[in-house]
Amino acid sequence: MSSSNPSTTGGPSASNPTAVPLTPYASTTAGTSAASDKLLMVRSVDLLKSKDGQNRLEHHTDAYFSDKLIVRRGQTFQMWVEFSRPFNPKSDKLQLQLKLDPIFSSNPGIRISVPLVDVLEDGRWEMKIVEQKDKRVRLVVNTLPTASIGRYRVTVESFSPRGRLLFPCTPNDIYMLFNPWCEDDPVFLDNEEERKEYVLNSMGRIYYGTEQQIGARTWNFAQFEQDVLEACLFLLERGQVAMTEWRDPVIVSRMVSALVNTNDDRGVLMGNWSDSFEGGTSPTAWSGSGDILRQYYKSSGKPVKFGQCWVFAGVTASVLRCLGIPTRCVTNFSSAHDTDLSLSTDIYLDEKLELIKDETSDSVWNFHVWNESWMTRPDLPAGNGGWQVVDATPQELSQGSYRCGPTPVSAVRNGQVDLKFDTPFVFAEVNSDRIYWQKKPDGSFSQVHVEKNSIGQHISTKAVGSDTRMDITHLYKYPEGSEEERIAVETASRFGSKPTLYLLPTDNDVSIEIVMDGAGPRIGEDAKLSIVLKNTSSKQRTASLLYEVMVMYYTGVLKDTVKKDRIPVDLKPQETKTIPWTLQYKEYMNHLVDQGALMLTVTGRVSQTKQILATQFTFRLRTPNLIIKPLEDAVVGKELTVQITFQNPLSQVLKNVLFLIEGLGMQSIRKIEHGDVEKLATVTLMEKFVPTVSGSQKLLASGQVHQKH
């Protein structure tokens, strides 16, 4: 039990309390006992905050590292109060004062009075005595499902015929979170397995790569680890939003999408999409959010270096899950970045059908990771609640800040881009048409080709209760080419910055596609693809194909050309022709970028019909996995030896290799500076750990290379 000295209104010292007469309770009755005439002093308060106690178990907060009382709003919690004498219900009164005050800013806070009642009613701040033992009473406290989240300071206020006393419970504050288990909370999620996955699971999977080569990285959300809850509330204060708004998950999630990046509000992560990560950590080296949030919190808000989209999404999921909002990471492959709100992805070619890089400001990211959070949307027409896109990667300004969302997934599916927030941008990411424009002699451009099903592929998230990938593309759009999907595109296009003019039907009897076998090439090997052309006409077709393969950052920004050439093609009637295409390792070895890929663009014109052929294909070079092997069974409190193996796939020396390990209940990342790894060499590490948490746990290992020689 915790104790503290009481103080009286007006500020007399707690060691010599003075009664403050209160008019409603100033009079005494003939039946009042001598004991009841005494001041009702609070001796101690027990918030029943034990991790394995009733409060934290019932509120699903027992996993938090903190020893504070952590509760979820809209649900009762219990506490004991010990007085200087037995509590007399006939003459004594009791009240709680809850204060939500900023810690790091001067913004106004919130004051809540919780009265003592005989019967609790839903939708009210109230408390009730459920047990009395001599000088102690056990209280059940009712909280509102619409209360602002945050850290509340608690004061017990006692009233007796002799006066009123205040008993501050500091440092025993109460942390209040959103409550997905409460039907009246806007974040209520009516599925226990989904609540376990999207709120309580601290380990997840984030998908990356290309639509044909989907990779997965395990991510430690660390939402229950030491200092993470404090870091999340510190972050909210940086948002400069009134604490009365902290009750609304729409506002909180939108605020978090801005605060996780540093672009305009002193947020957590600094983005870096260059080749150099000097002075910070390469985005690919992060495997969890815990260290990122702790660094930010302990440095009083100094930005952490560096992040890219999956890191922004991982940290956002950690913050929102920590605060109680069901959240998941979602990856969109072939994700369009529409810079002019045309709701189309525009590619510009010159008279020779070569890409005009300066004109093509829209890009298609190999993959882009954002978040979805579950909540109602009372600010929108009915039917737009449920999963909302929340994206902290700084791409475009939204109402003056680099933020995105919450965007209703249902509105994206139906092309309702007039609904807030940022629906046009998200719609273009998943369902814009890719339009090829050719420059004419007078300098203007005309449409020569439209791809209606290349953007927004294999939209993926981790499945509930397993590490398998779940495809959720159908939540974002109707089947490609269906009447519903075309209606959605045309509905959205009405709100675009320029109306889209689709080509009239012509003799489009030759098709072209690029095909890759299996999982695709590994880094250090030759990349082998096939260009497949099909002539569906009964006549001969000839064409000259121009191909160009370029190194591309995963964001779709092109770095430089690796190889470029022309291929003559002669197709017989009804013929399908497969042309092998190879890019040798020695041709690309000096062009690679971190998390980068290669994009092959093939264009051409059919001589007989003037049909334009155009397609793009993005592929990545798969990197090797680290192999983790425990050498004995894991037991809590007992040392465990783990073998970690890595093979360098390149005929180049990897310089200054750093291994990073986290998990198994560790509260920070273990860094191992290994040094150089020789060409094609295998490295074996033997690391010892002492597991601290029971149940299913994961160990994550990743590697970082500072340069290759």
Side-chain angles (χ1 to χ4, degrees), residues 490-528:
E490 291 170 16
T491 299
S493 69
R494 294 202 304 267
F495 296 92
S497 61
K498 56 186 178 184
T500 301
L501 301 174
Y502 293 98
L503 290 174
L504 294 173
T506 59
D507 289 331
N508 293 332
D509 50 27
V510 176
S511 64
I512 182 171
E513 68 172 329
I514 299 170
V515 176
M516 177 181 66
D517 291 334
R522 295 180 179 273
I523 192 168
E525 300 175 353
D526 293 348
K528 297 181 179 180

Side-chain angles (χ1 to χ4, degrees), residues 385-515:
W387 290 116
Q388 312 286 315
V389 172
V390 177
D391 190 352
T393 300
Q395 296 181 88
E396 299 291 332
L397 288 168
S398 172
Q399 296 178 327
S401 267
Y402 281 95
R403 57 188 170 184
C404 182
T407 308
V409 173
S410 60
V412 174
R413 190 174 196 237
N414 293 313
Q416 295 172 300
V417 297
D418 55 323
L419 300 181
K420 61 186 181 182
F421 296 91
D422 310 306
T423 312
F425 186 79
V426 178
F427 179 88
E429 286 182 301
V430 301
N431 206 13
S432 57
D433 287 345
R434 194 188 318 222
I435 302 178
Y436 293 81
W437 303 82
Q438 186 179 20
K439 194 169 188 176
K440 296 193 291 188
D442 64 2
S444 63
F445 288 87
S446 63
Q447 272 188 57
V448 293
H449 184 61
V450 177
E451 289 181 351
K452 297 183 179 181
N453 58 357
S454 62
I455 301 299
Q457 302 294 314
H458 301 304
I459 303 175
S460 303
T461 192
K462 175 187 173 301
V464 173
S466 77
D467 282 342
T468 57
R469 182 181 68 85
M470 181 168 66
D471 193 302
I472 57 171
T473 309
H474 64 284
L475 299 182
Y476 281 84
K477 52 186 179 179
Y478 295 99
E480 292 285 3
S482 67
E483 183 69 15
E484 295 93 338
E485 189 262 347
R486 281 294 96 191
I487 290 173
V489 172
E490 291 170 16
T491 299
S493 69
R494 294 202 304 267
F495 296 92
S497 61
K498 56 186 178 184
T500 301
L501 301 174
Y502 293 98
L503 290 174
L504 294 173
T506 59
D507 289 331
N508 293 332
D509 50 27
V510 176
S511 64
I512 182 171
E513 68 172 329
I514 299 170
V515 176

Side-chain angles (χ1 to χ4, degrees), residues 49-54 56-57 62:
K49 59 187 182 177
S50 168
K51 291 183 182 181
D52 56 358
Q54 181 179 354
R56 289 186 59 172
L57 287 173
D62 50 299

Side-chain angles (χ1 to χ4, degrees), residues 62 69 108 149 167 185 207 253 280 358 397-398 455 505 508 551 566:
D62 50 299
L69 176 59
I149 63 166
F167 183 88
D185 194 309
Y207 298 95
S253 60
D358 294 340
L397 288 168
S398 172
I455 301 299
N508 293 332
V551 171
R566 286 190 176 273

